[in-house]
Amino acid sequence: MPAVKIKRASSSVDMTAMTDVAFLLLTFFILTAQFRSQDAASIDTPSSISGIKVPDKDIMTIGLGKDGKVYFGIDNQNNRIAMLENIAAAKGITFSDKEKKEFALMSNFGLPIAQLKSFLGMPKEQQAKIKQPGIPTDSTGAGATNELKDWVFNSRKANNDLRIALKGDNLAKFPEFKNVLATLQAQNINKFNLITGTEAPPAGWKAD
Amino acid sequence: MAEINTGGGGGKHDGGKVRSKKASTRVDMTPMVDLGFLLITFFILATTLSKPSSMTLNVPDKTKQEETEPIKASNVMTVFLGKDNKAHYIFGKAANEDPELKTVGYGYEFRQAIQENARKVSADKFVVVIKPTKESTYRNMVDVLDEMAITKTKRYALVDQLTPDEKKLLKDKVKIDA
């Protein structure tokens, strides 16, 4: 009787299952991907225990940078064009189709209307380099130089269902926030969301 | 590596026919797995999965003047948001003789202060007046609003004007006029 040979285990592993899982995950991520949009400025939001999520659509975001600059953006590209057309008509400026298309791609911006046209004419790389000066606001909320009120008004004209989200930076000073608040209140907007990060509530805390 | 050698053919048995060596049906999947995980990593890093949360803020209508019953000063805790992430608070009215101005940091200390003061009056009468000064940041305000949610303070107000008494009280703590 020959000696029983111990069957040596194969050192190679069947990777089919792993490949399956990997590609399943890959497909999932591709399908659910929402790419980080290129923002006009990075805004570091404070965190809160609030569990309410920001809605996906019909949202107007007013950003407040750490240096007090105000940025503005709405979510839908068609609405962006409609908003630009509204504001152009109100201000007596005309934008070419190419500029409108360019504008539709910007998720948010912080420029006075007068500078918008020349900004849209620039190549992409140059746009990214420019420090946007922010949208002019004032403390009364309805002054002639307050352009934020025009944007808010005209974006709501383009889409009346827009909800307003305010995204402020940790370091933004309160008076700057007050200017934005005054602008909204001047248009009788009394309900809006403050975008915050998520933070765990203290132990034992329950929402009611 | 990943291939399993199952190419069993080609062995010459005595007197058997010479068979052509069968090509292995196994494919080396390592590069594919590599690529798969590379892409996964990319998509994980390039997307925003966790959506930010939001707090709703309702502010009173400025165009309507509603007559409300005046709030009793003894039920009011006034919080001043000062500089360097410090909050100052008084319980009662600033016009009172010598109100005690206490200073707290945000977070636990602040929460304790609210709860302590809330215990002094009945729950439905307790009012917090939040007065951010020029030196406070947006973060401070969100923190305080959050604290209101945590301590379940239902009645609070955001006021941005200081009374002369309060100005006097705060003059060595914060810059009033910027």
Side-chain angles (χ1 to χ4, degrees), chain A residues 40-177:
Chain A
S42 69
I43 290 175
D44 216 0
T45 57
S47 57
S48 79
I49 58 151
S50 172
I52 309 162
K53 295 287 171 212
V54 180
D56 297 320
K57 59 184 191 66
D58 291 340
I59 188 164
M60 164 196 325
T61 318
I62 299 172
L64 185 62
K66 61 170 173 282
D67 38 14
K69 289 175 185 169
V70 177
Y71 304 92
F72 186 83
I74 58 173
D75 66 329
N76 190 307
Q77 295 203 354
N78 296 333
N79 288 340
R80 276 182 208 154
I81 295 176
M83 170 177 80
L84 188 69
E85 279 165 355
N86 285 344
I87 205 155
K91 293 272 166 187
I93 315 170
T94 44
F95 289 98
S96 68
D97 282 346
K98 191 173 161 284
E99 284 162 343
K100 279 177 196 165
K101 217 175 262 170
E102 189 81 18
F103 183 78
L105 294 174
M106 289 203 292
S107 65
N108 61 5
F109 61 93
L111 292 158
I113 297 165
Q115 290 177 28
L116 195 58
K117 203 175 164 72
S118 61
F119 181 80
L120 292 174
M122 276 180 224
K124 269 266 177 288
E125 312 85 63
Q126 222 176 320
Q127 282 184 2
K129 270 190 220 150
I130 280 189
K131 275 226 164 98
Q132 302 193 11
I135 296 168
T137 55
D138 61 55
S139 57
T140 61
T145 55
N146 187 329
E147 286 177 11
L148 183 64
K149 76 168 196 299
D150 299 322
W151 286 111
V152 172
F153 179 79
N154 286 300
S155 62
R156 292 177 94 204
K157 212 164 137 188
N159 178 2
N160 207 17
D161 297 327
L162 282 177
R163 274 166 291 193
I164 297 163
L166 231 152
K167 190 178 178 188
D169 193 275
N170 275 330
L171 300 171
K173 291 270 187 250
F174 182 76
E176 289 140 6
F177 168 74

Side-chain angles (χ1 to χ4, degrees), chain B residues 12-141:
Chain B
K12 263 186 212 155
H13 302 282
D14 283 327
K17 280 183 202 159
V18 178
R19 288 165 209 258
S20 61
K21 194 173 178 180
K22 240 190 261 166
S24 165
T25 52
R26 294 277 178 162
V27 184
D28 183 4
M29 278 201 249
T30 323
M32 185 160 118
V33 175
D34 284 353
L35 187 72
F37 276 96
L38 186 85
L39 286 171
I40 287 183
T41 328
F42 169 72
F43 275 99
I44 289 178
L45 294 179
T47 55
T48 44
L49 266 188
S50 66
K51 276 209 292 170
S53 44
S54 73
M55 328 165 69
T56 47
L57 181 67
N58 292 315
V59 289
D61 196 333
K62 266 194 172 166
T63 55
K64 266 188 276 176
Q65 282 292 332
E66 269 180 64
E67 281 302 314
T68 47
E69 210 182 317
I71 299 161
K72 251 186 159 173
S74 56
N75 293 333
V76 179
M77 175 182 177
T78 314
V79 183
F80 306 98
L81 312 183
K83 62 178 171 187
D84 301 330
N85 293 326
K86 288 270 185 268
H88 313 285
Y89 71 89
I90 51 171
F91 190 70
K93 210 175 171 184
N96 290 359
E97 311 80 58
D98 197 26
E100 203 185 346
L101 185 71
K102 287 181 189 154
T103 305
V104 284
Y106 296 98
Y108 185 64
E109 266 180 273
F110 187 64
R111 195 171 310 153
Q112 270 193 322
I114 297 172
Q115 283 165 341
E116 203 178 284
N117 285 320
R119 242 175 271 133
K120 291 181 194 163
V121 288
S122 60
D124 56 326
K125 287 208 178 101
F126 183 61
V127 177
V128 178
V129 176
I130 304 161
K131 297 200 171 184
T133 65
K134 289 204 165 79
E135 284 175 283
S136 63
T137 61
Y138 173 76
R139 188 211 185 132
N140 298 151
M141 193 201 62

